[in-house]
Amino acid sequence: MPMVSTGRWQPVLTSPRWRAVAAVLAGALPALAFPEPSLWWLAYGALVPWLLLVRSATSARRAAVEGWLGGAGFLLAVHHWLLPSLHVFILVLAALLGLLWAPWGVLVRRLLGASPGPGRTAAALVLVPAGWLMVELVRSWEYLGGPWGLLGASQWQVPPALRLASVGGVWLVGFVLVAVNTALAALLSAPRARPAAAAGLLACAVAVTGVWAWAPRPQPAGSVRVALVQPGVIEGADSVQRRFDREEQLTRELAGRDVELVVWGESSVGQDLAHRPDLGRRLAALSRTVGAEVLVNVDARRSDRPGIFKSSVLVGPDGPTGNRYDKMRLVPFGEYVPARSVLGWATSVGKAAGEDRRRGDAQVVMRLPGTAGELRVGPLVCFESAFPDMSRHLVGDGAQLLVAQSATSTFQHSWAPAQHASLAALRAAETWRPMVHATLTGESTVADARGRTVGRRLGTDASASAVYDVPLARGTSPYVRSGDWAVYGSLAALAVFCAAEGVRLARRRVSGPVPPRG
């Protein structure tokens, strides 16, 4: 860092207190690349200040601390909209999960610290992104919060990045982003590293260009006419009933528009249809009126199983068709409290779930016999659209259309609705299958098999229905076929590096300390 040796900046850049503040701010910077700011281009340099800070740490311990603080800052920034619900508990969660970046900080200092030569720089261009992917992989575990805010997801509107996603998923996009940031940090901080860093930037550019030019593309396979129903925010003591009435009204307006599937948002029905057969009859009447099945989402206590489930239920002209999917991956604290006996106090300081929802057993591909060729639909509920593996497995099981049912009423005026809606483009590009993102409240959108937005979005202020001619596609994307190879490759590279470091340390201990020269 050129500024370290300059006079008036010296106390600031060497003071542990100021460096800690700088680490938190530097870690938070990449959050601006996500919606709503959507400064997607910032992701190609947003990690550079954090990398420069960590590489200049005076010890491995200090690098670990600054990696931890930067990780906490990043998580706070991308999840800041949870503050009204979790209050001070969001600080605790960010501090705990931020620890995942501590080893990454040590790795950055080991590879980029001091004056790295071409060999160390070349290793850093592979291992620093690999280490970042390992952090993202661990924090993507549903019990640690899930894959919200993966760095690669910030590129949801960039066509070359979406092509990369079709080859290696969001993981490959994130790997390339961190590699570019690492190369820029090396260019700025280490003169001996500049040739290797420039070669790394060129390699990234060549790789992206090669994928853009030669990677296979999905082939057209007709279209399906889908309607989304978004009632908007409805509050009050009788909000459940008034919301159903509004959804019913909006659906009736679709009569005569030749739709083949109507999708309602998450928690669009607040009572179990077995307990309330009158609601089932009203939904069946809607299906007959519109001439299409209606996919609703029931958030209620089940009559056939104990507990509360969130379930996608397909209703036809004769009532529920038997196609049902129970949500499998629940939102921590929002739908259940992890280790409730220990963390149950979170319900007293925020809006954590008072009772844990129950989980489904398996993913389901629903068949719509009324559509041409029997359309196969893969449902996801809210948070599940953030998991790349769930949409990939649905497509592997034959889904032709992905449908996510969501609601963001608690976070309506935050960055959450736009960021959630953006995931539809990424999942569609990864799988070569169009994705419908239908919301109770929030932003509803549709993406085609290449991740391009179809028609208009329904914004957070909308209470309306919209009809989309969704183009279908055939073929199997490289990502669906090969899976998370970018993650496995990163894991292998880190394993080789750790083995080499172990051998080096063992040799040093055997040979003893090197005597001083002269």
Side-chain angles (χ1 to χ4, degrees):
M1 293 177 65
M3 292 189 300
V4 171
S5 60
T6 59
R8 65 182 185 132
W9 290 106
Q10 182 75 16
V12 173
L13 296 177
T14 57
S15 166
R17 180 180 301 174
W18 284 110
R19 287 181 66 93
V21 173
V24 173
L25 295 177
L29 185 61
L32 297 176
F34 294 89
E36 278 194 354
S38 286
L39 304 178
W40 59 267
W41 46 267
L42 186 63
Y44 295 86
L47 294 178
V48 171
W50 190 6
L51 289 167
L52 293 177
L53 184 72
V54 173
R55 72 165 292 275
S56 67
T58 55
S59 66
R61 179 181 178 183
R62 190 68 215 170
V65 170
E66 290 167 1
W68 166 46
L69 293 174
F74 175 75
L75 291 173
L76 278 175
V78 296
H79 293 90
H80 72 275
W81 41 272
L82 287 171
L83 190 59
S85 296
L86 296 182
H87 299 298
V88 69
F89 200 69
I90 187 64
L91 302 177
V92 178
L93 289 175
L96 290 175
L97 292 177
L99 288 170
L100 294 173
W101 275 272
W104 183 76
V106 176
L107 179 68
V108 169
R109 181 181 180 274
R110 172 70 180 87
L111 296 172
L112 293 178
S115 180
R120 262 208 291 158
T121 304
L125 292 173
V126 175
L127 295 171
V128 171
W132 181 276
L133 254 61
M134 290 303 102
V135 174
E136 291 198 325
L137 179 66
V138 173
R139 78 176 183 87
S140 294
W141 188 36
E142 58 178 307
Y143 299 104
L144 290 181
W148 188 274
L150 298 182
L151 189 62
S154 65
Q155 305 303 293
W156 66 277
Q157 57 185 329
V158 183
L162 293 174
R163 293 296 302 281
L164 273 181
S166 73
V167 173
V170 66
W171 311 108
L172 181 59
V173 180
F175 186 97
V176 171
L177 286 174
V178 181
V180 170
N181 278 271
T182 304
L184 290 176
L187 279 173
L188 292 173
S189 62
R192 294 177 57 217
R194 285 170 185 163
L201 285 175
L202 180 61
C204 289
V206 169
V208 173
T209 303
V211 169
W212 176 260
W214 293 300
R217 301 171 187 246
Q219 299 301 310
S223 65
V224 60
R225 198 165 173 83
V226 180
L228 308 186
V229 174
Q230 179 176 308
V233 177
I234 298 176
E235 299 176 335
D238 59 344
S239 59
V240 174
Q241 184 59 53
R242 289 193 296 117
R243 181 170 62 238
F244 188 94
D245 293 342
R246 177 59 177 161
E247 291 164 327
E248 186 177 39
Q249 175 191 354
L250 292 172
T251 304
R252 287 188 183 281
E253 295 173 0
L254 298 170
R257 301 191 64 180
D258 297 324
V259 298
E260 298 170 81
L261 174 65
V262 180
V263 183
W264 290 13
E266 180 189 17
S267 303
S268 48
V269 179
Q271 293 89 18
D272 183 61
L273 296 180
H275 280 152
R276 292 287 306 274
D278 58 310
L279 296 182
R281 288 192 293 268
R282 289 169 66 178
L283 289 169
L286 285 176
S287 176
R288 292 192 296 271
T289 299
V290 177
E293 278 82 3
V294 183
L295 184 65
V296 301
N297 188 269
V298 179
D299 184 1
R301 197 173 301 278
R302 291 271 291 272
S303 59
D304 57 336
R305 297 177 63 180
I308 302 174
F309 289 80
K310 283 192 175 181
S311 307
S312 300
V313 178
L314 190 65
V315 181
D318 300 320
T321 62
N323 285 290
R324 183 188 191 105
Y325 166 65
D326 297 324
K327 186 177 183 181
M328 297 173 61
R329 296 184 181 173
L330 305 178
V331 179
F333 298 97
E335 294 171 338
Y336 79 103
V337 176
R340 184 177 286 272
S341 60
V342 178
L343 301 176
W345 58 269
T347 59
S348 63
V349 297
K351 299 178 181 178
E355 178 182 351
D356 292 349
R357 298 296 194 272
R358 298 300 182 92
R359 301 173 187 274
D361 301 320
Q363 291 186 266
V364 174
V365 175
M366 299 180 177
R367 297 177 180 271
L368 275 65
T371 57
E374 194 177 59
L375 182 70
R376 296 184 295 276
V377 175
L380 299 164
V381 183
C382 192
F383 179 58
E384 294 179 330
S385 69
F387 291 86
D389 64 304
M390 296 197 75
S391 54
R392 181 164 59 85
H393 290 155
L394 284 171
V395 171
D397 290 340
Q400 298 167 286
L401 175 68
L402 299 172
V403 176
Q405 297 173 297
S406 173
T408 56
S409 55
T410 307
F411 317 109
Q412 190 77 345
H413 302 293
S414 69
W415 293 0
Q419 190 171 344
H420 198 181
S422 71
L423 295 174
L426 197 61
R427 299 288 89 85
E430 287 174 338
T431 61
W432 286 4
R433 295 297 181 267
M435 186 166 192
V436 169
H437 180 84
T439 63
L440 189 73
T441 62
E443 291 195 12
S444 297
T445 188
V446 176
D448 70 6
R450 296 188 184 183
R452 300 171 298 193
T453 301
V454 176
R456 66 183 180 93
R457 281 194 178 195
L458 295 178
T460 54
D461 58 343
S463 176
S465 62
V467 177
Y468 300 84
D469 289 310
V470 183
L472 301 176
R474 64 174 179 267
T476 304
S477 74
Y479 177 61
V480 170
R481 187 182 303 114
S482 303
D484 299 324
W485 61 268
V487 173
Y488 301 138
S490 297
L491 184 60
L494 288 171
V496 170
F497 171 72
C498 290
E501 286 291 283
V503 171
R504 184 179 65 85
L505 291 174
R507 287 178 176 175
R508 178 178 295 181
R509 288 175 180 173
V510 170
S511 61
V514 179
R517 294 182 179 179

